[in-house]
Amino acid sequence: MDTRNPGRTMLDIPLRVRVHVETLLAAQNDMGVCDAFEQYAPVGKPDAMNAPHPPKVAGIDSTVPAPAHTVAPAPAASGTSAVTAPFAPNAPGALLQDRLAGWVSDLTTLHELTERLTRTDALPDALQELLRAGSALVGARRGLVVLEPDDGLGPDTTIGLGLARADLGHIETVPRSAMPYGRLLDTAAGLPGGDGEIAQPDLLAEDGLDPRHREVAARLGYAACYALPLATDSAGRLGAAVWLYDEPAEPSERRRHLVGLYCRYATEHLARLLEVERTRACMATMAEELLPSRLPRVAGVRLAARHRTGPRGGGDWYDALPLPDAALGLAVGSVTGSGPSAIAAMGRLRASLRAYAVMEGEDPVAVLSDLELLLRLTEPARSATALFAYCEPALRKITLAGAGHCPPLLIGERRTEFVETSVSAPLGMLACWEAPSVELCAEPGETVLLYTDGLLHRTGDATDRAFARLHSAAAGVPKGLRDDPGAIADHVLRTVLPEGLDAADSEEDVVLLAAHFE
């Protein structure tokens, strides 16, 4: 970094020649750009970098061509011999120009690889991109990355490139201290400022190689390895990356320098994704903890619930609680917004509804009216939808009221229909909420399905088409599954949200609560 001008970055080159990055980028229009890394693949042999100095490395074919990006020598002026021309092949200027072209090529390659890495927004994808780019930089075909953050908060994982899960399992049978990633993760060598790398150019020729490591290397067909820690001063030590060679080999000094620069940048990117992953996991845990850990067992009815939370955490919730006189209260709802504040509001709303349901659950309208008053007084800037049903399992009678919520779905052998509920505003939208309740009687073997609007929104269809899709999915439940509320909920999810949309990350939460009456 140029201390006189922090915005200008300097290449790490000898003091005799210091070239600004801006100058190199301006020169690349004339010199050309190395595009060799565009074609690398996980299991194919990676392309070598287009460098002006082809390294002779054991076990690696020198695929580095002559520097095609170097400007051709200028013709000698009249009266000047070719030997003394300023751009003669052996002149110092030509050598300097070749070196500049090589630095431009290296800089452009690193720029392309880091651009690909920054486009990854999930931790597993970033780890795979790190392995692919590193394999191209060091000239290896396979590799693995072990993620073990030194703060002990996880997540801990191992991902391979060109290695199946069984291959990774074989590698994990080798004593940790005998593997290069183990030495980097368990000693000071892998800390920022440590030794920083482990190269084993000919594993099978090492006298002190662990017997199990020798056996696994022979079985998997690798003969050399090169390992780097994933560690920086700001991120700490996150893990280690190991690349495996099919033949005895080791990367040249130039390749080591480039992959070291790349890994330091990749570590910073991984640290950011790691924080995002931990935040998502924390919010998902909070949301799950605020929902029922198990559903109650009530004679005459069986319950099942399905919950899908978006990556930022949403405010969809459900509840089922036993009430006096062998009754059962069922509720679903959704709080506006997402993130920790929405999750906290959801928890407060659900806890309040439980209290109101115990006191006056036989009157769902009164329960929702009290809930609306509480929401308007305590959180005037937030609105919510809710549906509460008071069930008498012995009579299979249900009394329900909804505040801006989707109508329940009644699923049986002879009918599949939406329950007709009155149109009402969400909680917190009007000065005083009130809507009439609805009564219905379920036949033996019928299931009442309560759900949130996230199920409809995830389809991406218009509202009427989404409702039609939901009705069709419920009507198509196979006969053998109709006695199992969990199987009914799963079938509806997979049918309404096909191709994994039920499990994919989405801005919309999904809640289904199924009550099967016997």
Side-chain angles (χ1 to χ4, degrees):
M1 180 73 70
D2 189 346
T3 57
R4 295 168 298 177
N5 189 349
R8 299 169 69 88
T9 305
M10 302 291 294
L11 287 175
D12 185 13
I13 60 178
L15 293 175
R16 290 173 297 175
V17 182
R18 286 195 176 274
V19 182
H20 285 282
V21 171
E22 293 90 335
T23 306
L24 294 178
L25 292 177
Q28 75 180 31
N29 292 329
D30 297 328
M31 297 181 181
V33 175
C34 170
D35 198 33
F37 287 88
E38 193 66 27
Q39 304 297 327
Y40 69 79
V43 296
K45 186 172 183 180
D47 294 331
M49 294 186 58
N50 187 13
H53 308 291
K56 275 293 185 179
V57 183
I60 302 180
D61 295 333
S62 179
T63 58
V64 183
H69 49 254
T70 304
V71 178
S78 59
T80 303
S81 66
V83 176
T84 59
F87 294 103
N90 295 326
L95 178 60
L96 177 61
Q97 191 170 343
D98 281 345
R99 290 184 178 180
L100 290 177
W103 290 326
V104 169
S105 176
D106 292 348
L107 179 65
T108 304
T109 299
L110 286 176
H111 175 73
E112 292 174 356
L113 294 179
T114 53
E115 279 291 312
R116 293 177 186 172
L117 183 67
T118 55
R119 287 196 290 267
T120 59
D121 55 3
L123 193 58
D125 295 338
L127 293 174
Q128 284 287 352
E129 180 60 32
L130 164 67
L131 283 175
R132 285 194 292 265
S135 69
L137 288 171
V138 303
R141 189 172 66 91
R142 292 177 291 176
L144 67 152
V145 58
V146 180
L147 187 68
E148 290 184 11
D150 58 1
D151 57 10
L153 300 179
D156 297 346
T157 186
T158 301
I159 293 179
L161 173 71
L163 297 171
R165 289 302 309 173
D167 299 333
L168 294 176
H170 287 306
I171 292 175
E172 290 173 352
T173 63
V174 180
R176 184 180 174 94
S177 60
M179 292 299 295
Y181 66 81
R183 299 204 293 272
L184 289 174
L185 294 175
D186 299 337
T187 66
L191 291 172
D195 295 341
E197 65 176 12
I198 294 179
Q200 294 179 285
D202 194 348
L203 277 170
L204 302 181
E206 292 185 10
D207 294 334
L209 187 66
D210 182 87
R212 180 57 184 166
H213 193 185
R214 185 184 303 274
E215 178 183 348
V216 170
R219 181 168 186 170
L220 300 184
Y222 66 88
C225 63
Y226 180 70
L228 282 177
L230 302 177
T232 62
D233 291 332
S234 59
R237 181 170 56 192
L238 302 184
V242 184
W243 289 277
L244 307 175
Y245 296 92
D246 296 341
E247 300 175 357
E250 63 178 326
S252 64
E253 186 65 28
R254 172 177 149 273
R255 288 174 179 262
R256 294 186 185 193
H257 178 67
L258 291 176
V259 75
L261 292 174
Y262 179 80
C263 283
R264 286 195 290 274
Y265 179 85
T267 300
E268 297 292 340
H269 182 65
L270 291 174
R272 292 188 289 270
L273 293 182
L274 189 63
E275 285 301 315
V276 173
E277 192 81 10
R278 288 174 175 176
T279 302
R280 288 180 177 178
C282 181
M283 288 194 298
T285 301
M286 289 173 53
E288 293 297 331
E289 290 295 326
L290 291 174
L291 296 175
S293 57
R294 61 182 181 86
L295 297 173
R297 294 184 178 180
V298 179
V301 63
R302 286 184 292 150
L303 302 173
R306 299 293 183 265
H307 183 217
R308 303 289 187 267
T309 304
R312 295 191 297 175
D316 286 16
W317 55 277
Y318 67 94
D319 205 352
L321 67 156
L323 297 175
D325 301 325
L328 175 69
L330 301 176
V332 292
S334 177
V335 176
T336 56
S338 61
S341 62
I343 294 175
M346 176 265 287
R348 292 191 293 267
L349 205 65
R350 172 178 171 263
S352 302
L353 185 141
R354 290 176 71 92
Y356 298 143
V358 170
M359 293 186 294
E360 48 191 359
E362 68 279 0
D363 186 358
V365 173
V367 171
L368 293 184
S369 296
D370 292 343
L371 194 65
E372 194 274 340
L373 178 61
L374 176 72
L375 184 69
R376 183 156 44 87
L377 293 177
T378 59
E379 300 186 57
R382 194 181 298 276
S383 63
T385 65
L387 186 145
F388 178 73
Y390 179 81
C391 305
E392 301 174 75
L395 302 176
R396 295 187 298 278
K397 179 182 176 182
I398 304 172
T399 305
L400 61 89
H405 207 79
C406 303
L409 190 58
L410 191 60
I411 306 171
E413 292 288 344
R414 291 178 294 180
R415 59 175 176 172
T416 299
E417 59 189 28
F418 291 102
V419 177
E420 293 292 338
T421 58
S422 59
V423 178
S424 60
L427 303 176
M429 298 291 290
L430 301 178
C432 182
W433 177 91
E434 187 171 353
S437 60
V438 175
E439 290 188 0
L440 65 108
C441 288
E443 298 294 332
E446 289 188 331
T447 300
V448 176
L449 183 66
L450 311 181
Y451 54 94
T452 59
D453 56 4
L455 178 65
L456 306 176
H457 293 164
R458 280 203 186 196
T459 64
D461 294 337
T463 302
D464 55 345
R465 294 186 60 185
F467 273 114
R469 177 183 290 191
L470 174 58
H471 184 276
S472 176
V477 175
K479 184 176 181 181
L481 302 180
R482 290 182 177 268
D483 292 334
D484 184 353
I488 292 175
D490 290 334
H491 176 84
V492 170
L493 264 179
R494 290 192 302 266
T495 306
V496 175
L497 302 174
E499 300 177 357
L501 287 176
D502 61 319
D505 284 347
S506 172
E507 299 298 323
E508 300 289 342
D509 286 7
V510 175
V511 163
L512 282 84
L513 179 60
H516 178 77
F517 291 88
E518 299 175 344

